[in-house]
Amino acid sequence: MTKKKTAIINVSLIVALLVVLYIMEHILPSTAMIFTVLKKGAIYALVAVSMNLLNGFTGLFSLGQAGFMLLGAYTYGILTIPVDQREFVYQYFDGGIVQFAVPMWVALIAAGVVAAVFAYLIGLPVLRLKSDYLAIATLGFAEIIRAVFQWDKIGPLTNGSNLLRSYPTFKSVIFPFVVSGICIALIVMLINSTYGRAFKAIRDDEIAAEAMGINLAHHKRMAFTISSFFAGISGALLAMYQTTIQASMFKSAMTYEILLIVVIGGIGSVTGSCISSFLFIIFSEWILRFLDNDTYIGSFHVPLLRSGFRKVVFSFIIMIIVLFFRQGIMGTKEFSVQGIINFFTGKSRKKKAVKGGDSNE
């Protein structure tokens, strides 16, 4: 199959997906659980792919995604709250110090830029570290930035430990899909470029990459900054989905969830991260939700089913996946139309070969 035909098929599938989402929005009630899964899954897919760019394709073990999402979420909220609503939102800080509002798309890009700027500045000293030390340093940054944003001294900007609200949000499930889709497409283009090949070379062998003329410090900072840019945008999307922002939301547990999604999907697979994002949300937010409810069969109380048991079962499922699928769902492979065609045509050829062998006998 030629690249032109593959591109046409991919575009057709994307259009078909958007049409299906549009029809679903007009058929199903807006409170249907499927929309929660789709919206949150699309947001987590973007942040998981951005983390995979750093951890999977560049080999840098970073745990600062929650901090960059926080920066993106607060940037978006601060810049888009209407001026006439700031007095009510910043009620303890005399309306705050920002007295203007920008369009939603401008704030969305600004969310990524602010996260990228912080990543670049932090990366100058931090990226000299390797492995676990880098992970600890970036995790420390995320925790520090969360504590700082709750500090009342900068409350006129961040509203302290109070909620940010009244900013523009989205209602349509198509919006997060379009934004995440565009961002993921840009990441894929980067991975397939000469810079992406340099990232993979650094991941495989830093000494060999440097011997080939790759500037390690420059490319590491680039990967770290670009990954943080898209994490900032996903933070803004999450803020729009949640309708309110509070720094306490962006705990280290959020980073661990994202890392878990990357590992389950396959470190080094973009489509694996996307698939595992939706699977993670489906199981944690929907399918296993009944395990948190007290259940009676007649007068018999079913043991174990109570608040918190869902997390236990979910953790057990994750342990099984990690033990028996160590490379994740996709490993380093990518889900594609061509791959499906090759899979089925390969099977059919094997069947023909087997039949031919039997007839000869």
Side-chain angles (χ1 to χ4, degrees), residues 59-313:
L60 299 176
F61 189 29
S62 170
L63 292 176
Q65 298 302 106
F68 296 117
M69 290 179 72
L70 181 150
L71 288 168
Y74 267 85
T75 300
Y76 175 81
I78 291 168
L79 293 178
T80 55
I81 296 174
V83 177
D84 59 347
Q85 294 293 320
R86 290 185 181 272
E87 185 179 351
F88 303 102
V89 176
Y90 289 87
Q91 55 184 326
Y92 301 109
F93 301 100
D94 299 324
I97 59 174
V98 178
Q99 292 299 320
F100 63 88
V102 301
M104 181 177 64
W105 287 102
V106 175
L108 201 58
I109 295 172
V113 171
V114 169
V117 169
F118 270 82
Y120 181 83
L121 296 175
I122 293 163
L124 291 174
V126 166
L127 291 178
R128 298 176 184 273
L129 304 172
K130 294 182 180 180
S131 188
D132 297 342
Y133 300 103
L134 176 60
I136 293 169
T138 51
L139 181 62
F141 155 75
E143 291 298 305
I144 289 169
I145 203 73
R146 181 169 63 88
V148 168
F149 269 61
Q150 296 180 87
W151 190 27
D152 284 342
K153 292 292 184 180
I154 60 171
L157 178 64
T158 64
N159 207 23
S161 58
N162 305 298
L163 291 172
L164 282 182
R165 60 186 188 279
S166 300
Y167 49 80
T169 60
F170 61 79
K171 293 182 179 179
S172 174
V173 70
I174 295 175
F175 182 84
F177 266 82
V178 170
V179 175
S180 295
I182 292 172
C183 293
I184 291 172
L186 292 174
I187 294 174
V188 171
M189 290 171 64
L190 174 67
I191 291 170
N192 294 328
S193 69
T194 54
Y195 289 105
R197 288 191 285 274
F199 295 157
K200 293 174 186 177
I202 294 171
R203 174 196 64 189
D204 295 336
D205 193 325
E206 288 192 9
I207 297 174
E210 191 172 24
M212 293 296 292
I214 295 173
N215 188 328
L216 297 183
H218 172 71
H219 283 83
K220 284 182 179 181
R221 280 198 301 269
M222 180 184 293
F224 192 60
T225 303
I226 293 172
S227 172
S228 302
F229 173 84
F230 290 110
I233 291 180
S234 66
L237 290 175
L238 185 62
M240 298 169 75
Y241 167 74
Q242 299 281 13
T243 69
T244 59
I245 307 170
Q246 194 170 27
S248 58
M249 292 167 43
F250 300 90
K251 296 179 179 178
S252 56
M254 180 178 286
T255 298
Y256 300 145
E257 287 181 353
I258 299 163
L259 179 62
L260 192 61
I261 289 170
V262 173
V263 172
I264 291 173
I267 297 177
S269 173
V270 172
T271 50
S273 295
C274 295
I275 293 169
S276 61
S277 297
F278 287 98
L279 290 177
F280 180 85
I281 299 300
I282 287 171
F283 278 96
S284 62
E285 300 288 340
W286 191 3
I287 294 178
L288 300 179
R289 181 67 68 176
F290 75 96
L291 295 174
D292 281 349
N293 301 325
D294 288 335
T295 304
Y296 288 87
I297 301 176
S299 59
F300 174 73
H301 179 252
V302 179
L304 299 179
L305 296 186
R306 64 191 66 181
S307 179
F309 188 62
R310 170 174 58 98
K311 294 290 184 181
V312 176
V313 175

